[in-house]
Amino acid sequence: MTKEFSTDESYQPNLREEDISVNWGINGNAVIRINGNPFLLFSTDEEKGFCKSISKNGMYGNQWDENKYKEEFK
């Protein structure tokens, strides 16, 4: 990812497999968590996901949308 689209959370040093988990919603949506915190949201209603490592919507996906996350995973 280019610096233009990245955030401070784009670089995750020392990330281990056990730090990552996936939660599936009833409607087929998914949230990927890092150390228990939501990080990436895939919604069946959207073409691209929402991620905390993306600073603006574009070719890499969409920037994190807390309202969308709460709507999907109440």
Side-chain angles (χ1 to χ4, degrees):
M1 180 179 333
T2 63
K3 286 184 180 183
E4 178 184 357
F5 287 91
S6 67
T7 68
D8 290 340
E9 295 186 62
S10 297
Y11 179 63
Q12 298 278 333
N14 305 315
L15 190 62
R16 301 168 301 161
E17 185 175 342
E18 57 266 22
D19 297 333
I20 302 169
S21 62
V22 179
N23 297 110
W24 292 96
I26 296 170
N27 52 7
N29 297 334
V31 65
I32 294 177
R33 298 178 185 277
I34 296 179
N35 296 315
N37 299 309
F39 188 79
L40 177 59
L41 170 67
F42 292 104
S43 173
T44 58
D45 297 336
E46 304 289 336
E47 185 176 318
K48 296 179 181 178
F50 299 85
C51 187
K52 291 184 176 179
S53 69
I54 297 174
S55 64
K56 63 182 181 177
N57 299 348
M59 62 185 170
Y60 298 107
N62 299 306
Q63 67 186 56
W64 184 254
D65 184 332
E66 188 69 20
N67 291 327
K68 182 78 170 169
Y69 167 72
K70 288 179 180 177
E71 184 181 297
E72 301 290 338
F73 290 89
K74 294 178 185 172

